[in-house]
Amino acid sequence: VGSSGAGKSSLLGLLLGWHRLADGRLWVDGHPMGEGDIEALRRQVAWVDPAVQLWNRSLLDNLQYASDGDGLSQVGRTIEAAQLRAVAGTLPHGLQTLLGEGGARLSGGEGQRVRLGRALMQPTPRLVLLDEPFRGLDRPQRHLLLTEARRWWAATTLLCVTHDVGETLAFGRVLVVEQGRIVEDGRPRDLALANSRYRQLLAAE
């Protein structure tokens, strides 16, 4: 968590290999990460972000994009978890409807649910990165989808960037980022009781 422009998305960008360190080293699981290591890690990352591309292919094809074409048995569960059944019901050809370039047939919130569904279809990710994953949806929908995402990936390391600071009280750990630095790191309920920047963010929300 942190204010806009604090560097939250840049932190995730380092793990995806979009950004390069000007100084220091990036360590994952106790090992320094080189160029080849980052590329290997990226193939094991489930990533949900409004910037994730939706293709002018069917809804089903978009969902299966990360599943190596072997995810048909999981489509039903994924559609339920990502709340896509109603979306598919409004499309003229259901799951076979072409979504348009960039998901032009969909609203912003519907597109985010498709992006979530695609990530849920990825087999056994090593790392899950959620960057404002449910932008365009109302707060109750964001809460339900985040709860479902955490349940689905309960055994996987998950990093979530969010402006819904109150939602992070349910997490085991929170990082507060300001001006490109982690300024607080701890259990959210402990930080909420302290004289902390995290407590100030909660109060502002």
Side-chain angles (χ1 to χ4, degrees), residues 15-195:
L15 293 166
L16 288 163
W18 308 148
H19 308 307
R20 298 291 184 268
L21 289 171
D23 190 22
R25 303 180 79 176
L26 176 64
W27 292 69
V28 174
D29 288 339
H31 302 287
M33 302 294 284
E35 188 74 25
D37 299 316
I38 290 291
E39 292 178 5
L41 177 63
R42 189 188 302 152
R43 290 191 290 271
Q44 298 174 289
V45 170
W47 178 42
V48 183
D49 182 296
V52 170
Q53 178 70 21
L54 298 181
W55 308 108
N56 186 20
R57 298 179 67 177
S58 70
L59 172 56
L60 181 60
D61 285 344
N62 270 279
L63 290 174
Q64 287 190 285
Y65 184 75
S67 68
D68 298 326
D70 191 30
L72 281 176
S73 63
Q74 195 168 300
V75 169
R77 287 181 61 225
T78 298
I79 287 172
E80 293 296 335
Q83 297 183 9
L84 284 168
R85 188 166 298 283
V87 175
T90 64
L91 297 172
H93 304 293
L95 290 174
Q96 298 302 329
T97 304
L98 300 180
L99 297 187
E101 195 60 41
R105 274 188 176 270
L106 306 173
S107 70
E110 289 170 343
Q112 284 302 93
R113 278 178 273 177
V114 174
R115 293 177 177 96
L116 172 63
R118 179 188 291 175
L120 293 174
M121 292 282 287
Q122 183 166 334
T124 59
R126 177 181 174 191
L127 177 65
V128 176
L129 302 178
L130 307 180
D131 194 348
E132 294 296 341
F134 310 123
R135 189 180 300 168
L137 295 164
D138 61 34
R139 185 178 286 269
Q141 287 178 306
R142 296 197 302 269
H143 172 76
L144 287 173
L145 287 170
L146 182 58
T147 300
E148 179 61 29
R150 294 188 64 209
R151 185 195 65 78
W152 189 284
W153 288 305
T156 306
T157 299
L158 183 151
L159 297 180
C160 180
V161 169
T162 180
H163 285 103
D164 291 333
V165 184
E167 290 286 349
T168 65
L169 286 166
F171 280 72
R173 182 180 179 187
V174 67
L175 307 176
V176 181
V177 181
E178 287 191 349
Q179 297 182 350
R181 303 181 70 86
I182 295 172
V183 296
E184 291 176 351
D185 175 358
R187 291 170 54 86
R189 294 195 179 276
D190 292 341
L191 290 174
L193 295 173
N195 181 19

